[in-house]
Amino acid sequence: MKSKDIRPFIPVKELAVSKAFYEALGFISDDANEDMSVISNGTCTFFLYQAAEINFDAGLMFQLSVPDIQAALNSIQKVKNIDIRYEPIKEERWGKIIYLWGPSGEMWHITELNR
């Protein structure tokens, strides 16, 4: 599978405080919704999300942007002899997504964004 970008989701205690911190460092924030912001600077981009309680034992989430979601799904489906957990392609207003969980519970949002 080809990839284009990785964007982690980072839990925060207070979204407004975290946004202000990253903006002070020169990042730009764009609210995705009331509980999540996209933080970027050049090619570096990640998400901040409001967490009711932060527990790093709960795992992490990442976004992997791909040019062809069907090719990504084909690659996932070809995996043999490994217990793999994923959900099929879902259509969203912004593109398509596959949810994939790694062996330690980390969650990947494999996405093909609209052009």
Side-chain angles (χ1 to χ4, degrees), residues 43-57:
T43 60
C44 178
T45 303
F46 54 91
F47 296 88
L48 297 177
Y49 71 93
Q50 182 67 51
E53 184 175 306
I54 298 177
N55 178 359
F56 286 104
D57 292 335

Side-chain angles (χ1 to χ4, degrees), residues 19-27 41:
K19 282 175 41 179
F21 172 78
Y22 287 105
E23 289 170 347
L25 294 173
F27 286 79
N41 188 335

Side-chain angles (χ1 to χ4, degrees), residues 3 7 42 75-76 82 85:
S3 64
R7 297 179 179 192
S75 295
I76 292 166
I82 295 175
R85 182 176 159 215

Side-chain angles (χ1 to χ4, degrees), residues 27-115:
F27 286 79
I28 298 168
S29 69
D30 183 29
D31 291 339
N33 59 44
E34 64 186 33
D35 296 319
M36 186 181 313
S37 292
V38 180
I39 308 297
S40 61
N41 188 335
T43 60
C44 178
T45 303
F46 54 91
F47 296 88
L48 297 177
Y49 71 93
Q50 182 67 51
E53 184 175 306
I54 298 177
N55 178 359
F56 286 104
D57 292 335
L60 296 174
M61 294 184 285
F62 301 93
Q63 179 187 41
L64 176 64
S65 180
V66 297
D68 183 344
I69 196 87
Q70 187 60 53
L73 180 60
N74 293 345
S75 295
I76 292 166
Q77 291 175 330
K78 288 179 184 175
V79 173
K80 303 293 181 206
N81 302 320
I82 295 175
D83 185 26
I84 190 164
R85 182 176 159 215
Y86 68 95
E87 293 180 5
I89 297 170
K90 290 185 172 52
E91 298 273 344
E92 298 287 350
R93 66 174 178 77
W94 44 261
K96 300 174 186 174
I97 188 165
I98 299 168
Y99 296 106
L100 172 70
W101 288 265
S104 297
E106 66 275 20
M107 183 180 187
W108 287 89
H109 297 226
I110 300 173
T111 60
E112 179 185 321
L113 303 173
N114 291 336
R115 297 173 196 211

